[in-house]
Amino acid sequence: MTTTLSDTETRADERDHDRYSLSSSDGNTPLEHVDERDVREATICVVGLGYVGLPLAVGFAQSNYRVIGYDVDESTVEKLQNGVDTTGDLSSEAVADDDITYTTDDAEIAEADYVIIAVPTPIDDGDRPDLQYVESAAATVGSKLTVGTTVILESTVYPGTTRDVLVPELESASGLTAGEEFFVGYSPERATPGDSEHGLADVVKVVSGQNETILNDVATLYESVVDAGVHRAASIEVAEASKVVENTQRDLNIAFVNELSMALERMDVDSQAVLDAAGTKWNFHDYQPGLVGGHCIPVDPYFLAYRSAQEGFDPDLMRTGRKVNESVSNHVADLTIKALNQCHKTLRDSRVLVLGLSYKPDVGDIRSSKVADVVENLREYDVDIEGYDPHADHDAVSEVFDLHVQDDLSFDGIDAVIFATPHAEFESLELERMAAELGENPALVDVTGTFDEDAAHAAGFVYRRL
């Protein structure tokens, strides 16, 4: 029978010390070993070297830990072994730290005192949580698990996943018992790609463990690398829920201003002017309308809604917020069509340039970019579309967007510009120069409200924004 965490907490307190002794000569039990070990002497294995796992591995190595970085992707590991930052957020020197061993050999997991799992948790085509990577990682880790090891999940999951998914997989693969021969914790990632001011050390880390001893041990571990400190969650489920709640709250707030902008447009009222006016009140929250892409905000509400529905409560507000934000891509395409019509352009003869293809400024990640949906919607009108992004990989763009990407930015022959992602490289763009290069009756669809509307009109643009 699978051991649950509530069971192991009780049994850990009442355990027979001789029965669960470590194989070492000191005779300590695993839990006593946790009490006594010096985390500074620990070996840490990070499983999954993506935008969450790699900064973790580097952060621990920079704090003088011995770190094993494990990933199943041979190409990723080879690049990291050669000192190539695969995330774009770290320096080559940091990636090449001698204290990190990058490997695809799962046998090295057995050397770790702490194994931190940081693998993707996407949603499937039915907007349900897809935990296949967590399950696969748990099976791999479990097969190499040694007595006394603590396994910490960092992947975003719904409340109960550590208890109901991770632990059974680890126990099955290892033959060991959670809470007696190995231990588990959960600490949700708070990585922000492209944000140098909010890295691993700078953001309070939520930590949890299956009992007080493990909680304190995990907290001590993260306190050694997180300058901002840690927050000890009351339970693993609380920590799991906190992550999805963070991003669900943001999703709902953005959904409100997105819906507001659509409503005010039909009233012929400037939504940005409305937000500026409302923002003069001290307790008004500053959110801006826009496309909601990425790996967190468009995903996490589905995790919370899924788990809630399992308990018989369907959270309508969360689902409605998702529906509103998913509709913004259609709205941006509609604004573009209206702008082209106002410019007296024939749609099938029009050329549109999309500036910025990634999901957020100053990063190259396009995998969850909603700009792709804008492009797909415009194709229904036979509009000729091309793109430019100084950060995104051209081969990846061609595969995901099926789009011609300019090597060098050119407005020649373009009828409309969609300003989708405001990379820093675009800050030097001048409206008058853009309009002059575009030609007669150009259109500008400013998704992020970057440009001043009056200045755009003065430069000769037909201007639209959310």
Side-chain angles (χ1 to χ4, degrees), residues 33 38 46 52-53 73 78 99 116 119 131 147 150 166 211 220 248 261-262 282 288 303 349 366 370 385 411 463:
H33 173 71
D38 181 359
V46 178
V52 174
D73 190 317
E78 183 178 359
D99 290 327
I116 301 176
V119 295
L131 299 179
V147 172
T150 297
L166 181 73
N211 57 46
T220 301
T248 299
S261 71
M262 297 180 205
W282 62 270
Q288 296 296 314
F303 277 76
D349 296 328
I366 62 169
K370 293 302 176 182
I385 312 166
F411 297 104
Y463 180 83

Side-chain angles (χ1 to χ4, degrees), residues 122-165:
I123 53 175
D124 63 20
D125 292 339
D127 296 330
R128 296 178 296 267
D130 181 355
L131 299 179
Q132 62 173 312
Y133 300 109
V134 171
E135 293 169 346
S136 177
T140 298
V141 170
S143 70
K144 306 301 177 184
L145 201 58
T146 56
V147 172
T149 300
T150 297
V151 181
I152 304 167
L153 182 62
E154 283 227 6
S155 303
T156 300
V157 294
Y158 55 78
T161 301
T162 302
R163 180 195 303 272
D164 299 331
V165 178

Side-chain angles (χ1 to χ4, degrees), residues 112-306:
D113 300 290
Y114 299 90
V115 179
I116 301 176
I117 298 176
V119 295
T121 47
I123 53 175
D124 63 20
D125 292 339
D127 296 330
R128 296 178 296 267
D130 181 355
L131 299 179
Q132 62 173 312
Y133 300 109
V134 171
E135 293 169 346
S136 177
T140 298
V141 170
S143 70
K144 306 301 177 184
L145 201 58
T146 56
V147 172
T149 300
T150 297
V151 181
I152 304 167
L153 182 62
E154 283 227 6
S155 303
T156 300
V157 294
Y158 55 78
T161 301
T162 302
R163 180 195 303 272
D164 299 331
V165 178
L166 181 73
V167 167
E169 287 285 354
L170 290 171
E171 289 186 326
S172 176
S174 67
L176 303 177
T177 302
E180 297 173 351
E181 296 161 293
F182 73 91
F183 310 99
V184 295
Y186 180 80
S187 180
E189 57 90 1
R190 281 179 164 174
T192 307
D195 186 349
S196 60
E197 296 183 0
H198 295 93
L200 173 64
D202 309 310
V203 181
V204 173
K205 199 82 166 71
V206 175
V207 298
S208 63
Q210 66 189 94
N211 57 46
E212 187 174 355
T213 298
I214 301 306
L215 171 61
N216 290 330
D217 185 55
V218 171
T220 301
L221 176 68
Y222 280 106
E223 282 172 338
S224 68
V225 294
V226 180
D227 295 338
V230 304
H231 173 83
R232 288 169 166 81
S235 69
I236 285 178
E237 287 76 14
V238 167
E240 290 169 326
S242 71
K243 169 60 179 179
V244 288
V245 166
E246 289 173 22
N247 286 317
T248 299
Q249 180 192 62
R250 293 174 65 193
D251 193 46
L252 287 169
N253 279 298
I254 298 170
F256 169 70
V257 293
N258 273 331
E259 189 170 63
L260 179 69
S261 71
M262 297 180 205
L264 291 174
E265 184 202 355
R266 285 158 176 78
M267 303 175 202
D268 197 24
V269 175
D270 187 334
S271 61
Q272 188 57 57
V274 170
L275 292 173
D276 290 342
T280 60
K281 189 178 181 185
W282 62 270
N283 61 352
F284 188 81
H285 293 183
D286 182 20
Y287 284 88
Q288 296 296 314
L291 297 167
V292 183
H295 309 285
C296 294
I297 300 178
V299 174
D300 294 2
Y302 291 121
F303 277 76
L304 200 54
Y306 170 83

Side-chain angles (χ1 to χ4, degrees), residues 49 54 69 73-86 90-98 100-103:
L49 299 174
L54 183 60
D73 190 317
E74 293 181 359
S75 174
T76 295
V77 170
E78 183 178 359
K79 290 176 182 176
L80 294 172
Q81 289 172 339
N82 292 326
V84 176
D85 173 20
T86 52
L90 305 165
S91 67
S92 298
E93 292 77 14
V95 170
D97 193 312
D98 289 339
I100 307 177
T101 300
Y102 299 108
T103 183

Side-chain angles (χ1 to χ4, degrees), residues 17-88:
H17 284 215
D18 293 332
R19 179 183 177 191
Y20 299 119
S21 64
L22 288 170
S23 57
S24 59
S25 58
D26 62 13
N28 288 342
T29 68
L31 202 58
E32 288 170 344
H33 173 71
V34 169
D35 273 325
E36 295 170 1
R37 69 182 173 195
D38 181 359
V39 297
R40 284 291 186 178
E41 301 299 320
T43 295
I44 297 166
C45 178
V46 178
V47 175
L49 299 174
Y51 78 98
V52 174
L54 183 60
L56 266 177
V58 168
F60 278 109
Q62 289 176 336
S63 295
N64 300 317
Y65 286 93
R66 180 186 172 227
V67 178
I68 299 166
Y70 171 80
D71 202 290
V72 296
D73 190 317
E74 293 181 359
S75 174
T76 295
V77 170
E78 183 178 359
K79 290 176 182 176
L80 294 172
Q81 289 172 339
N82 292 326
V84 176
D85 173 20
T86 52
T87 68

